Amino acid sequence: MPHDVMSPPPLDVDVLVVGAGLSGVDAACRLATTTHGVTWAVVEARAATGGTWDLFRYPGARSDSDMYTLGFPFRPWRGPASFAPAEEILRYIRDTADEYGVTGRIHLGQRVTRAAWSSADRRWTVTVRTGDGELLEHRARFVYVATGYYAYDSGHVVDFPGCADFAGTLVHPQQWPADLDVTGRRVVVIGSGATAVTLVPALVEQGAAHVTMLQRSPGYVAALPSTDGLADLARRALPERAAHALVRGKNVALSTLSYRFLRRFPDAGRRVLRRRLVDRLPGGWPVDTHFAPRYDPWDQRIAVAPDGDLLDVLGGPRADVVTATIDRFVPEGIRLDGGEVLPADVVVTATGLRLEFGGGAELVVDGETVQVPTRHVYKGCMLSDVPNLVLAVGYTNASWTLRADLTARWFCRLLRHLRRHGRTVAVPRWDGTGGAERPLLGLTSGYIRRGEHLLPTQGTRRPWLVVQNYVADLVATRLGRLDDGVLELR
């Protein structure tokens, strides 16, 4: 580092928030407005705020949850689209951070590499590496981990046979080149998840000659309106916050009911989802070949196509779906197991995320490294036998922010409770009464199965059971006892 450049100072705060995406900004706003007298700061590994919404730059990147629930409950979403493009979401996050005084407390370019708890000091020492390679040690009473559960450095990369032989351009959505031009080119998108469903219509719109979605197995797709008629009406008739609360409540209710219906009556759910696709696609289109999964609805997330954009392009001449397995790459494209070659000038490997806990940081308690997969999650937001550490983990069946905001509110409530009772430490104690161990994320998606061994587990009984139900969590986090005999307060 040049001698005339000062090193950033170490921090000594009550709460250190790790991550400046949706969850981190949400937590910081809650700290700013509900915990007066508590000192806090945010560290962010990247050189910009926004998390996911600054990272993903692939064409058409957007939310796959409606913005009335993905957005912050305390700052109404004012955009016209329910499923907003990434750039609008990013602007919304940054504007919120500015409005609530969070931006000035975010320290960019500081990647947490280690967090060590000392029971003697009742403090965390958090080691960060700056963009210049310097190591800093921050101190905090609490660490709030808002890094999500996937790695930002790279996605899941499949080493397909023959990749080096391919004469065209190979790209992963997580590292999308800013100068990639698909105009007049043949594109194959490998994958069937939300990213692939988003990319196919966007690439057609950008002028690709033809786009093929190549999937190993079918997934569920649902066409939903890109705008909310009730939201438009409510904005005209009600004050802004009241309108936002009304639409948010309506969307929570609809998503909860539809999820419960699909899980309880999977066969009926399959028929409903299939009928909607049949009605939208041209007559004779092979729905059962490409959109009839072997698994039940919500074993994996259902991909959303706003206004049916994916279905529209699949019904035309410039896009199609191929359900098959890959034999190998060849210079002119991809050869399938059946011998057919899909010609391609560009191949996009939308093969999923790579799971990672806490941004890859090492956790240490009193000199002992915490083996995260051996720990259990308390109330969906703390690790068993790890003091003063809180995790923001969103829902798998609804908007991420719904659960993340409940965690932030519960955490602020915990801080106020500790202060009133003259206590400084909170640690959940696992005593084996939580029931059988289960994976933290209850989906069967490939990227989750590949990385679930890296994550903590949940139980089958509360408070160790992660309930995928906003209303139940709302009651538990707002009204449930803090001193419940499981959370040790001292």
Side-chain angles (χ1 to χ4, degrees):
M1 177 179 292
H3 294 297
D4 58 347
V5 178
M6 294 184 62
S7 302
L11 302 166
D12 192 343
V13 292
D14 293 320
V15 181
L16 188 67
V17 179
V18 182
L22 264 171
S23 303
V25 170
D26 179 275
C29 290
R30 291 297 188 184
L31 287 166
T33 56
T34 66
T35 56
H36 302 294
V38 172
T39 59
W40 56 271
V42 183
V43 292
E44 165 58 48
R46 305 178 72 245
T49 59
T52 293
W53 305 108
D54 179 69
L55 174 68
F56 288 125
R57 305 294 179 90
Y58 60 83
R62 54 163 172 78
S63 64
D64 65 348
S65 298
D66 73 276
M67 288 305 302
Y68 303 98
T69 56
L70 186 67
F72 305 115
F74 49 82
R75 187 169 184 268
W77 170 250
R78 301 180 176 95
S82 293
F83 301 94
E87 58 270 19
E88 291 184 15
I89 302 173
L90 181 60
R91 184 166 56 249
Y92 170 75
I93 294 171
R94 291 176 176 171
D95 287 350
T96 303
D98 289 344
E99 184 176 322
Y100 282 78
V102 171
T103 303
R105 299 198 194 189
I106 298 175
H107 302 263
L108 298 173
Q110 297 196 16
R111 178 181 297 278
V112 175
T113 60
R114 188 174 189 265
W117 169 262
S118 167
S119 292
D121 296 337
R122 297 193 169 199
R123 287 285 190 281
W124 286 96
T125 298
V126 180
T127 304
V128 302
R129 185 181 300 278
T130 70
D132 297 310
E134 182 181 5
L135 294 179
L136 294 176
E137 287 191 344
H138 302 313
R139 285 168 56 82
R141 288 199 303 120
F142 279 85
V143 172
Y144 190 98
V145 181
T147 56
Y149 56 73
Y150 72 90
Y152 276 45
D153 292 339
S154 65
H156 175 62
V157 178
V158 178
D159 185 18
F160 292 108
C163 276
D165 299 332
F166 180 50
T169 303
L170 188 65
V171 59
H172 192 285
Q174 204 161 321
Q175 286 87 34
W176 194 271
D179 59 351
L180 179 60
D181 184 4
V182 300
T183 304
R185 305 175 78 183
R186 299 163 300 177
V187 184
V188 173
V189 179
I190 302 174
S192 59
T195 300
V197 169
T198 299
L199 269 168
V200 171
L203 293 170
V204 170
E205 185 177 349
Q206 285 199 344
H210 192 273
V211 182
T212 296
M213 186 168 85
L214 172 57
Q215 57 181 13
R216 182 172 55 185
S217 58
Y220 291 108
V221 175
L224 297 178
S226 64
T227 58
D228 192 310
L230 178 61
D232 296 337
L233 179 62
R235 284 167 173 162
R236 292 194 297 268
L238 297 172
E240 183 178 56
R241 286 186 176 273
H244 182 74
L246 174 65
V247 179
R248 184 181 178 86
K250 180 263 295 182
N251 287 356
V252 167
L254 287 179
S255 64
T256 301
L257 290 172
S258 65
Y259 174 78
R260 295 299 170 193
F261 169 78
L262 291 171
R263 295 305 287 169
R264 185 169 182 179
F265 305 106
D267 291 339
R270 287 171 182 265
R271 291 193 295 270
V272 170
L273 292 169
R274 179 184 183 279
R275 172 49 55 190
R276 291 184 176 179
L277 292 175
V278 169
D279 291 344
R280 187 63 185 263
L281 288 161
W285 201 92
V287 171
D288 292 329
T289 300
H290 303 303
F291 292 133
R294 294 186 294 270
Y295 56 85
D296 288 338
W298 281 113
D299 282 352
Q300 299 180 23
R301 282 186 70 100
I302 296 175
V304 173
D307 290 334
D309 56 358
L310 173 71
L311 308 180
D312 288 342
V313 298
L314 293 180
R318 293 174 54 200
D320 65 350
V321 180
V322 172
T323 301
T325 54
I326 295 172
D327 174 41
R328 63 177 294 110
F329 277 63
V330 292
E332 63 273 24
I334 298 174
R335 188 169 69 206
L336 306 178
D337 273 347
E340 176 191 357
V341 173
L342 294 180
D345 305 301
V346 178
V347 172
V348 182
T349 56
T351 46
L353 306 170
R354 183 169 59 84
L355 266 58
E356 182 177 74
F357 178 84
E362 179 188 16
L363 281 184
V364 178
V365 173
D366 293 329
E368 297 290 329
T369 298
V370 175
Q371 302 300 324
V372 172
T374 68
R375 302 304 170 106
H376 303 81
V377 174
Y378 169 79
K379 289 189 175 178
C381 64
M382 294 188 78
L383 291 182
S384 58
D385 303 312
V386 178
N388 289 19
L389 183 81
V390 178
L391 317 170
V393 179
Y395 290 120
T396 57
N397 66 340
S399 293
W400 177 273
T401 317
L402 285 174
R403 186 62 176 86
D405 182 67
L406 288 180
T407 295
R409 294 165 77 178
W410 180 86
F411 173 57
C412 291
R413 181 182 168 215
L414 174 64
L415 291 177
R416 296 192 297 269
H417 179 86
L418 292 172
R419 171 173 285 191
R420 283 197 304 270
H421 293 84
R423 300 174 181 178
T424 58
V425 176
V427 52
R429 296 297 188 188
W430 171 259
D431 60 2
T433 62
E437 294 182 354
R438 300 194 310 178
L440 176 62
L441 304 176
L443 298 178
T444 62
S445 305
Y447 74 95
I448 289 177
R449 285 189 164 177
R450 285 192 300 270
E452 63 185 16
H453 66 285
L454 303 172
L455 303 179
T457 60
Q458 62 170 309
T460 54
R461 290 191 288 272
R462 297 185 184 184
W464 304 102
L465 173 65
V466 178
V467 182
Q468 298 289 335
N469 186 306
Y470 176 76
V471 175
D473 280 336
L474 178 64
V475 173
T477 54
R478 298 298 300 278
L479 302 177
R481 291 177 53 211
L482 290 169
D483 197 351
D484 60 2
V486 176
L487 185 64
E488 179 183 306
L489 305 177
R490 62 178 191 267

